[in-house]
């Protein structure tokens, strides 16, 4: 087994203070194009694979039967902030299905959106499941469930919804699942290699001319068209996709996973920072966008997540993030 590669470093006072190691694969339809670390490292994709989880929703015809728009599809792939633009759309989606918030199985947590959080705190109101960052994905599960006529516990491993997701996952990654765990939103999360995840993203980047390819294309186009729904204001997914101007779809996952889909190049990207740190994952995906010539060093998004000096609360420069030697400069 290959070891993880040093990818991102934090320097302070001319000394290396911290480093983020991990695994990265860039793939196309023929296989690995570039790699750092161990392409065979087995990981949980977490929320980075939501477009795979949404494939059965579109491919089955359930999305069209329910009249879903590109906004709905973006939310099905989202880890959103729980802002009103997210929660209201999911609420309306459920109402259109004849369902309600209580039919969700994702659980509740405080929203990450500052205004939404302030509104709940100031009013003494508890968050509901609509605020869960995965509520759009779960609305997609419920939409598919109506077509499959499964029971209400759609997050169980042997439920028809999750069986369809597992089939799509194995077919797009080209691998049998290496294991599974329960995600933060209670849905199963299937493990695969970093290479397998990149291979799946390459399939979304250059889809076939069949029903699956049409579904993949629609999901990618929805993510690119609505970056604010995929994450939210102040989030790397949203800000980087805006900066890329439609050239790529990006999606983060918990524990420092990030994927990229670059349709104009037919490239899929998957990365995992082994320390689980968000800073490292966001800097690494930014470095890869720079490496591929899709982003400028001086773009505000690039500066925020990688190229600008680190500063303290007084605005004094304290250090810098660097791409490690051997990682794209």
């Amino acid at each position: 087994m290959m070891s993880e590669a040093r990818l991102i470093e934090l320097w302070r006072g001319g000394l290396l203070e911290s480093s983020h190691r991990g695994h990265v694969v860039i793939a196309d339809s023929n296989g690995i194009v570039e790699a750092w670390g161990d392409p065979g490292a087995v990981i949980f994709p977490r929320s980075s694979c939501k477009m795979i989880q949404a494939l059965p929703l579109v491919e089955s015809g359930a999305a069209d039967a329910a009249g879903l728009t590109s906004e709905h599809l973006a939310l099905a792939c989202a880890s959103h902030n729980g802002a009103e633009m997210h929660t209201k759309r999911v609420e309306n989606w459920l109402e259109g299905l004849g369902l309600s918030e209580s039919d969700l199985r994702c659980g509740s947590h405080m929203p990450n959106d500052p205004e939404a959080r302030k509104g709940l705190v100031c009013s003494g109101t508890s968050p509901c499941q609509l605020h869960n960052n995965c509520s759009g994905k779960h609305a997609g599960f419920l939409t598919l469930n109506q077509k499959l006529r499964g029971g209400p516990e759609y997050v169980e491993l042997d439920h028809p919804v999750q069986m369809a997701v597992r089939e799509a996952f194995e077919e797009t990654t080209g691998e049998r699942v290496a294991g599974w765990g329960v995600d933060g939103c209670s849905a199963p999360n299937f493990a695969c290699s970093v290479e397998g995840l990149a291979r799946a993203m390459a399939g979304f980047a250059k889809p076939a001319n069949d029903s699956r390819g049409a579904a993949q294309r629609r999901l990618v186009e929805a993510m690119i068209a609505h970056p604010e729904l995929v994450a939210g204001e102040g989030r790397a997914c949203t800000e980087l996709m805006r900066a890329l101007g439609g050239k790529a779809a990006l999606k983060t996952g918990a524990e420092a996973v990030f994927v990229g889909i670059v349709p104009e190049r037919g490239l899929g990207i998957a990365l995992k920072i082994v320390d689980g740190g968000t800073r490292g994952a966001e800097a690494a995906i930014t470095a890869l966008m720079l490496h591929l010539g899709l982003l400028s060093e001086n773009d505000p998004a690039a500066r925020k997540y990688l190229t600008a000096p680190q500063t303290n609360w007084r605005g004094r420069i304290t250090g810098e993030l660097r791409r490690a030697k051997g990682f794209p400069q």
Side-chain angles (χ1 to χ4, degrees):
M1 178 179 291
M2 299 171 62
S3 63
E4 63 269 12
R6 182 179 287 181
L7 303 175
I8 300 295
E9 301 171 341
L10 177 66
W11 287 74
R12 184 188 303 266
L15 297 174
L16 175 64
E17 182 173 32
S18 302
S19 64
H20 297 289
R21 296 175 176 270
H23 312 286
V24 179
V25 173
I26 302 176
D28 63 14
S29 58
N30 295 315
I32 295 176
V33 176
E34 293 183 90
W36 297 263
D38 182 5
V42 174
I43 65 168
F44 284 110
R46 303 296 296 273
S47 287
S48 75
C49 69
K50 283 182 177 176
M51 68 292 291
I52 301 176
Q53 293 173 307
L55 258 183
L57 166 66
V58 182
E59 194 175 8
S60 68
D64 287 337
L68 301 190
T69 67
S70 63
E71 290 188 354
H72 294 104
L73 298 185
L75 283 167
C77 300
S79 298
H80 62 69
N81 275 352
E84 184 178 6
M85 66 175 172
H86 304 122
T87 57
K88 193 63 179 176
R89 282 176 168 85
V90 175
E91 183 178 35
N92 291 339
W93 181 353
L94 293 173
E95 288 177 356
L97 298 174
L99 301 173
S100 68
E101 180 265 352
S102 64
D103 292 295
L104 296 170
R105 295 292 185 267
C106 52
S108 305
H109 63 69
M110 287 294 286
N112 290 322
D113 179 74
E115 288 301 314
R117 189 188 313 116
K118 179 180 178 181
L120 290 176
V121 171
C122 291
S123 65
T125 305
S126 297
C128 69
Q129 293 185 100
L130 298 173
H131 294 104
N132 189 297
N133 71 97
C134 297
S135 65
K137 178 179 82 172
H138 282 249
F141 285 159
L142 284 167
T143 306
L144 176 61
N145 193 36
Q146 286 194 337
K147 183 176 181 66
L148 299 180
R149 301 182 183 277
E153 303 306 319
Y154 61 85
V155 295
E156 297 302 318
L157 185 66
D158 60 354
H159 191 281
V161 167
Q162 300 307 328
M163 291 172 67
V165 170
R166 178 171 182 159
E167 182 179 7
F169 188 86
E170 292 185 334
E171 290 176 353
T172 56
T173 60
E175 300 176 358
R176 293 290 298 273
V177 298
W180 70 282
V182 178
D183 213 336
C185 67
S186 292
N189 198 247
F190 301 113
C192 67
S193 70
V194 180
E195 179 183 357
L197 186 57
R199 185 186 304 116
M201 295 305 107
F204 277 85
K206 190 177 181 180
N209 293 318
D210 55 15
S211 60
R212 169 154 295 173
Q216 291 172 313
R217 191 173 295 107
R218 286 177 65 184
L219 289 165
V220 173
E221 289 174 352
M223 292 175 69
I224 289 174
H226 306 288
E228 73 285 351
L229 298 182
V230 173
E233 299 306 322
R235 295 276 301 284
C237 292
T238 295
E239 293 183 334
L240 287 169
M241 279 198 283
R242 283 175 175 164
L244 291 167
K247 296 176 183 177
L250 304 178
K251 183 69 185 72
T252 190
E255 297 301 320
V257 183
F258 235 111
V259 300
I261 301 167
V262 188
E264 67 179 30
R265 306 275 189 88
L267 296 176
I269 301 166
L271 71 87
K272 164 70 176 179
I273 300 296
V274 296
D275 61 30
T278 299
R279 179 182 70 186
E282 291 175 346
I285 195 68
T286 301
L288 292 168
M289 295 300 100
L290 294 169
H291 172 59
L292 294 173
L294 302 175
L295 191 63
S296 165
E297 296 264 352
N298 291 319
D299 187 280
R303 289 182 58 79
K304 177 177 179 178
Y305 295 108
L306 179 61
T307 62
Q310 301 286 296
T311 58
N312 66 13
W313 298 110
R314 292 184 63 198
R316 295 186 64 183
I317 294 176
T318 59
E320 61 179 335
L321 285 175
R322 296 181 188 174
R323 287 152 278 187
K325 185 178 181 180
F327 196 50
Q329 300 298 307

